[in-house]
Amino acid sequence: MKFDFPLLRDNNHHEYCLHCHAEAVTWIVVDGRKRCTCASCGREAERAVVIDPRISWWTDADGEYWHESAGVFVRDRGARFLFFQRTAFPYRLTVPAGHVESGEEPRCAAARELGEEVGIRGAEGGLRLVADEYLRGDVCRRGSDAHRWHAFLLEVDGHREAGAQGEVTVNEEGEEPVWLTLDQARSCRPTFAVERIIEQYSERLLAAVPRSADERKQGPPDGSRA
């Protein structure tokens, strides 16, 4: 998205209507999907133009509005990955991911989003960088159509590490967590960024993660346990 209207750059949070650009946006939920409505023009939209000083954003020389994001492909020992359906725009299959905060390291952002979105905490040390891509066409509910995307891989022993009772819970921006192979995920309309990372980096996502000496002594893990 390129801005064709004046923005307030006062280091405060602002939300503008996608249609009339008025700062009169209210977020609502319709049929389980998060949307916004404008008190000025009365129209609804799937997203708004959000200027949030807490997150990393910029405009390039062409006026394109960029955000920075970090996401985690959580892989079990059976080469299945954790996905869920987004209930906020874009309403597609995704992995745990979110915006990098201003001054935050992408690895820290990925670990934070993992905890906030699916309850997997303390994983920062186990994250392995898979990709760092500038993706035009990757849209989000905050109005950006371009993201710098940091993709990480986390391997878990079966599914028991994915939640306190071995069950994954998703926050209010998602539903229906599911473990899928990469091929299965491709057929389920993933988000632009997730699809691009799978297409270009599937070999890295499926590569073996080096095991510690203690793990090797314990023998092969039982990936069937949930």
Side-chain angles (χ1 to χ4, degrees):
M1 175 175 291
K2 296 182 180 181
F3 295 135
D4 57 359
F5 62 99
L7 296 174
L8 288 175
R9 297 177 181 262
D10 56 1
N11 205 37
N12 290 317
H13 185 101
H14 299 280
E15 298 184 353
Y16 302 92
C17 173
L18 201 65
H19 302 294
C20 73
H21 304 153
E23 195 172 358
V25 170
T26 300
W27 293 93
I28 59 176
V29 176
V30 179
D31 296 329
R33 297 290 184 260
K34 192 171 184 179
R35 299 174 58 85
C36 61
T37 182
C38 177
S40 179
C41 68
R43 299 175 70 178
E44 288 188 12
E46 297 173 328
R47 58 183 184 150
V49 178
V50 179
I51 304 298
D52 186 349
R54 296 174 302 174
I55 70 169
S56 175
W57 70 273
W58 66 94
T59 54
D60 64 18
D62 296 326
E64 189 71 47
Y65 179 37
W66 285 85
H67 286 169
E68 188 172 14
S69 296
V72 183
F73 286 78
V74 181
R75 189 185 76 192
D76 70 10
R77 295 301 174 94
R80 292 177 300 174
F81 295 80
L82 176 60
F83 296 91
F84 61 88
Q85 293 289 337
R86 286 184 53 85
T87 56
F89 182 85
Y91 313 111
R92 293 194 173 195
L93 194 76
T94 190
V95 298
H99 290 97
V100 177
E101 294 182 355
S102 180
E104 186 180 30
E105 290 295 323
R107 185 180 301 273
C108 295
R112 173 178 53 77
E113 291 290 344
L114 198 58
E116 292 175 356
E117 294 201 338
V118 295
I120 301 177
R121 306 188 186 281
E124 183 176 342
L127 296 179
R128 184 166 57 146
L129 183 65
V130 171
D132 181 357
E133 289 281 339
Y134 288 83
L135 300 177
R136 292 180 181 269
D138 181 38
V139 299
C140 76
R141 73 175 183 87
R142 296 176 181 231
S144 175
D145 297 338
H147 289 75
R148 180 181 181 181
W149 233 86
H150 307 270
F152 293 86
L153 172 66
L154 175 70
E155 187 175 54
V156 296
D157 186 7
H159 301 166
R160 70 178 184 272
E161 296 179 4
Q165 279 75 44
E167 297 180 357
V168 174
T169 57
V170 185
N171 73 3
E172 68 278 2
E173 289 194 1
E175 62 184 6
E176 302 175 12
V178 62
W179 295 85
L180 301 172
T181 66
L182 296 182
D183 285 339
Q184 289 171 331
R186 281 194 191 100
S187 67
C188 295
R189 298 182 70 243
T191 61
F192 180 93
V194 168
E195 184 174 33
R196 182 65 62 87
I197 298 299
I198 291 174
E199 287 178 351
Q200 295 188 1
Y201 298 96
S202 60
E203 290 187 3
R204 295 186 188 180
L205 291 170
L206 294 171
V209 175
R211 297 167 63 195
S212 68
D214 289 340
E215 286 180 313
R216 289 193 293 271
K217 289 178 183 178
Q218 293 171 4
D222 181 4
S224 63
R225 288 177 290 176

